Amino acid sequence: MASLSQQSDDSDDGMDDFMEKFKKEKYSNAFSEKNWEEEFNKVPMFMKTAPDEIDPMKHPELAAIQSIIHDDDRPLEEQAESLKDEGNDYFKEKNYKKAIVSYTAGLKKNCSDSNVNAILLTNRAAAQFHLGNMRSALNDSVAAKKFKPDHLKALIRGASCCMELKKYTDALQWCEEGLKLQPTDKKLLELRATADKHKRAAERDARKTKVKEKKELNEREALLAAIKERGIKLLKPKQRPKRSSDSEDDDGGSSRAMAGLDLDGLCSAEATGAKVFLDEQGVMHWPVLFLYPEHQQTDFISAFSESSSFLDHLTLMFGEELPPWDTNRKYSPQNLQLFFEDHEKESLHQVNPETPLLKILQHKRCFVKAGTPSFVILVKGSPFCGKFLSERKTHRL
């Protein structure tokens, strides 16, 4: 009887034989320093030369590639069907971009089966729809309908695209075409009801907008007539210089255009968007800009009544509480001088603070620029005032 020690040795020898056999079988096809070049040459990607005859059993990868290369030997309808199925698989995975590539490849086969082409286009429209490419989706739906006018899915997709594009009248038309084929289709009935609702709302909003625009136009025309009646001159915004061949009338490059008042001259350049307007009593109110060049500051009055004097506003602005930038407290109403600029002659005209705004705007050399009269305010007798006026031609009171 063998001892335990001898049994153990026999067992170890058997295990060693088994592991050696396992290693040989497991790594029999592995790369080694001796065979790596030969093994690499069996991989299609790295193969230097392909065998003359491909045995699917010996070279399954090459056989698969060969079948793909010779895919064009199949009928076009079959090829388009395969690409459609491939696109559908991508679509199910929500990989819409790859689905579009497959559907497009199928369409490029130009097969004679109208039904296949209609399905390819409709499916591509669905993928485009999910990607948010509504116009492309609508174009595919239109093309699908040409291949197969009774293709219900194409009609539903076309209606859905029109809804997203806010083409409610077109959406209704697509719905009606589909409902002729399938009067009880739930999706088409819902789309038609929604399209009709939005179409009515859009038409109502369009009517309101038209009424509002007409009212605003009438108000602006009345305002322009009132400005013209008062003899106020608007300075039009500068236009792009015209070439000599563009115009027969050349006034020497004057920036002034007073003969015809138009709406462009009423646009305020201020960020507030304030504009001149007539109140219910027919009194005109202007946005007015005060400039303080000594401190590079401005004040903006959004509604300066034409009947109010400058002193009315200056008393409020420079009363007990002076602006923080007036550190020397010089800007009291009795110390201030006002001027408006003649933009054409680049000169200043002094303004009496007690004069109403309307009278100043009616001055023959006063032109309202960008819908906003502007005035320069200086401290009388100050060094800055003397220097500022000495550098400009000034017409005093």
Side-chain angles (χ1 to χ4, degrees):
M1 185 174 180
S3 65
L4 289 173
S5 173
Q6 185 179 356
Q7 289 181 5
S8 176
D9 291 341
D10 292 342
S11 177
D12 289 343
D13 291 341
M15 180 61 70
D16 290 341
D17 292 341
F18 171 78
M19 291 300 296
E20 187 66 28
K21 183 179 180 182
F22 174 77
K23 287 179 181 178
K24 287 181 180 179
E25 291 180 355
K26 182 177 181 183
Y27 297 106
S28 61
N29 295 322
F31 291 2
S32 67
E33 291 183 6
K34 296 180 179 179
N35 74 345
W36 69 268
E37 196 169 4
E38 179 184 349
E39 293 297 330
F40 251 88
N41 197 46
K42 294 178 182 179
V43 180
M45 183 181 292
F46 305 107
M47 192 175 285
K48 293 180 180 179
T49 57
D52 294 332
E53 294 185 8
I54 298 173
D55 185 347
M57 298 300 294
K58 293 182 178 180
H59 303 285
E61 298 92 347
L62 285 176
I65 293 172
Q66 187 182 48
S67 67
I68 294 173
I69 294 173
H70 294 286
D71 181 67
D72 288 343
D73 293 341
R74 295 184 297 159
L76 294 176
E77 289 74 14
E78 189 178 334
Q79 294 179 45
E81 280 278 4
S82 296
L83 288 164
K84 181 200 73 175
D85 294 338
E86 180 182 89
N88 290 346
D89 290 337
Y90 284 129
F91 192 95
K92 290 174 184 177
E93 297 171 1
K94 297 185 178 180
N95 195 335
Y96 302 119
K97 289 184 178 180
K98 284 190 175 180
I100 289 170
V101 172
S102 297
Y103 295 139
T104 302
L107 288 165
K108 286 182 178 179
K109 296 299 178 181
N110 294 319
C111 76
S112 58
D113 192 326
S114 297
N115 186 58
V116 172
N117 288 324
I119 294 172
L120 283 166
L121 283 163
T122 303
N123 291 359
R124 190 172 71 174
Q128 295 281 19
F129 185 92
H130 283 285
L131 289 174
N133 304 328
M134 298 305 161
R135 293 194 181 280
S136 296
L138 180 58
N139 290 337
D140 279 347
S141 301
V142 171
K145 191 171 67 167
K146 289 180 180 178
F147 275 110
K148 191 178 179 184
D150 60 347
H151 191 43
L152 194 63
K153 286 187 177 180
L155 296 171
I156 294 173
R157 182 61 59 196
S160 300
C161 291
C162 289
M163 285 296 299
E164 293 295 326
L165 294 169
K166 300 188 187 325
K167 295 183 174 185
Y168 304 122
T169 301
D170 292 344
L172 286 170
Q173 185 176 347
W174 281 85
C175 289
E176 292 301 333
E177 289 185 43
L179 290 170
K180 286 179 182 177
L181 300 171
Q182 187 61 262
T184 59
D185 187 87
K186 185 178 179 181
K187 182 64 176 178
L188 284 173
L189 289 170
E190 290 176 354
L191 283 169
R192 184 176 68 175
T194 306
D196 184 63
K197 178 182 176 181
H198 284 289
K199 180 174 178 287
R200 292 176 185 274
E203 290 173 345
R204 182 182 65 248
D205 292 342
R207 288 193 298 270
K208 287 182 178 179
T209 301
K210 189 173 181 180
V211 170
K212 182 181 178 182
E213 289 175 350
K214 186 176 181 180
K215 181 184 177 183
E216 290 176 352
L217 181 60
N218 290 337
E219 289 175 351
R220 289 172 72 80
E221 287 178 346
L223 180 59
L224 283 170
I227 291 173
K228 186 175 183 180
E229 182 182 352
R230 285 164 169 76
I232 298 173
K233 299 166 286 297
L234 301 180
L235 191 65
K236 290 183 180 180
K238 289 185 179 180
Q239 302 294 327
R240 178 180 60 84
K242 291 183 178 181
R243 295 174 297 179
S244 57
S245 58
D246 291 339
S247 174
E248 296 180 0
D249 293 332
D250 191 352
D251 59 0
S254 172
S255 63
R256 216 168 20 103
M258 302 177 301
L261 296 175
D262 63 18
L263 301 179
D264 292 338
L266 299 180
C267 298
S268 173
E270 290 303 306
T272 60
K275 297 179 182 179
V276 58
F277 67 93
L278 283 170
D279 63 21
E280 294 179 355
Q281 287 73 40
V283 178
M284 194 172 292
H285 300 261
W286 290 88
V288 173
L289 187 65
F290 285 166
L291 310 171
Y292 310 101
E294 183 174 0
H295 296 278
Q296 296 183 347
Q297 298 289 330
T298 61
D299 272 325
F300 184 72
I301 302 170
S302 60
F304 194 133
S305 170
E306 63 181 358
S307 59
S308 297
S309 70
F310 291 88
L311 191 60
D312 294 337
H313 288 277
L314 292 175
T315 301
L316 291 173
M317 295 163 61
F318 300 101
E320 297 181 0
E321 186 176 346
L322 295 177
W325 46 263
D326 181 19
T327 55
N328 296 325
R329 303 182 66 82
K330 297 186 297 183
Y331 281 75
S332 58
Q334 64 272 16
N335 291 339
L336 302 180
Q337 286 184 315
L338 279 75
F339 300 86
F340 70 79
E341 184 180 1
D342 182 340
H343 294 280
E344 185 184 44
K345 296 188 176 182
E346 298 182 352
S347 60
L348 296 175
H349 290 259
Q350 191 172 358
V351 175
N352 187 335
E354 298 181 359
T355 307
L357 175 62
L358 176 58
K359 188 173 181 180
I360 300 303
L361 296 181
Q362 290 174 328
H363 191 283
K364 63 181 181 179
R365 298 309 308 167
C366 184
F367 308 102
V368 177
K369 184 179 180 181
T372 308
S374 59
F375 299 89
V376 176
I377 299 180
L378 303 169
V379 175
K380 183 173 28 179
S382 68
F384 180 86
C385 178
K387 184 176 184 301
F388 186 85
L389 296 179
S390 67
E391 296 172 348
R392 294 162 179 78
K393 186 177 180 180
T394 305
H395 301 275
R396 296 181 179 273
L397 292 172

